Amino acid sequence: MPGLLADEDGNDVRNRYKPDAVKGDMDSVRTEVLEFYSNLGTKIVDESHDQDTTDLHKCIAFIRDFTPDLDKSNLCILVAGALGGRFDHEVGNINVLYRFSTMRIILLSDDCLIHLLPRTHHHEIHIQSSVEGPHCGLVPIGTPSGSTTTTGLQWDLNDTEMKFGGLISTSNIVKGDKITVQSDSDLLWTISIKKV
């Protein structure tokens, strides 16, 4: 956060944007960082005993389990810094989208965002053209798509089959402020983020 608000005092920013919890296997957090946030009252949840799930998985499960049921229908989780690092971490983060497919989770990087479009829904994606686009893509991961249909893209799909080793919709362009997607397979939606 201090990097985003460079004109402000770093400690003031850290105190103002204090996390409610720090959770994970604690293998990459510095001791002084844990002490700093612990002294501010942040809950520290050490799950170093669990090496079968990623830190992101642990955090999403924490949010799911401790969000009141009434609030879950409108819950949207934004995960900053989820892309652009080690490829195995990126794949692990994408896997979390599938493991929590009933939750709306958006993975953000400096360049793009990704979220899951479950096959169980007809999707309307409203484009915020001041901050996102025009480059976009639809990618089937896990299982091929036998039929995907879109509107609002430069190269719309019409009952199109997509799979790795065949056609996937990358380097596409949004043409309007609304995209529709219907598919018989879960798809990843990705769109570029504009530099400010």
Side-chain angles (χ1 to χ4, degrees):
M1 290 302 295
L4 294 173
L5 303 168
D7 59 332
E8 297 185 37
D9 179 71
N11 283 333
D12 289 343
V13 172
R14 285 183 190 91
N15 283 301
R16 191 167 65 238
Y17 295 101
K18 172 186 83 72
D20 294 326
V22 173
K23 183 174 183 169
D25 60 21
M26 306 299 166
D27 65 346
S28 60
V29 66
R30 296 187 322 269
T31 304
E32 64 270 18
V33 172
L34 280 180
E35 288 174 2
F36 176 84
Y37 286 113
S38 180
N39 289 336
L40 289 178
T42 295
K43 182 177 181 178
I44 307 298
V45 184
D46 183 342
E47 292 206 355
S48 54
H49 65 280
D50 176 6
Q51 293 298 309
D52 293 332
T53 61
T54 65
D55 287 341
L56 179 58
H57 181 119
K58 292 172 177 73
C59 290
I60 298 296
F62 182 83
I63 292 168
R64 178 200 60 204
D65 295 342
F66 291 99
T67 300
D69 289 336
L70 295 176
D71 296 337
K72 287 184 185 174
S73 62
N74 293 321
L75 184 64
C76 179
I77 300 171
L78 300 175
V79 184
L83 306 165
R86 281 180 29 199
F87 182 68
D88 61 327
H89 285 174
E90 291 179 330
V91 171
N93 290 343
I94 290 168
N95 188 53
V96 167
L97 298 179
Y98 284 81
R99 301 257 331 237
F100 294 92
S101 63
T102 60
M103 297 177 69
R104 183 160 163 72
I105 304 168
I106 299 173
L107 305 180
L108 294 168
S109 76
D110 291 340
D111 302 314
C112 70
L113 65 81
I114 296 175
H115 63 89
L116 183 69
L117 303 179
R119 67 182 173 273
T120 54
H121 294 79
H122 176 85
H123 300 276
E124 282 189 7
I125 302 166
H126 297 273
I127 305 301
Q128 302 296 318
S129 60
S130 63
V131 293
E132 60 184 344
H135 300 95
C136 65
L138 289 162
V139 182
I141 298 216
T143 60
S145 168
S147 173
T148 298
T149 300
T150 65
T151 63
L153 300 176
Q154 182 163 345
W155 295 284
D156 273 322
L157 305 171
N158 185 12
D159 195 27
T160 304
E161 179 181 355
M162 291 193 300
K163 64 181 180 180
F164 275 89
L167 173 75
I168 58 175
S169 180
T170 59
S171 298
N172 213 326
I173 304 284
V174 297
K175 295 304 285 183
D177 60 356
K178 183 173 85 170
I179 309 301
T180 65
V181 179
Q182 182 70 45
S183 183
D184 64 351
S185 175
D186 295 342
L187 299 174
L188 291 178
W189 165 256
T190 183
I191 190 165
S192 59
I193 295 176
K194 295 178 179 175
K195 300 290 184 193
V196 182

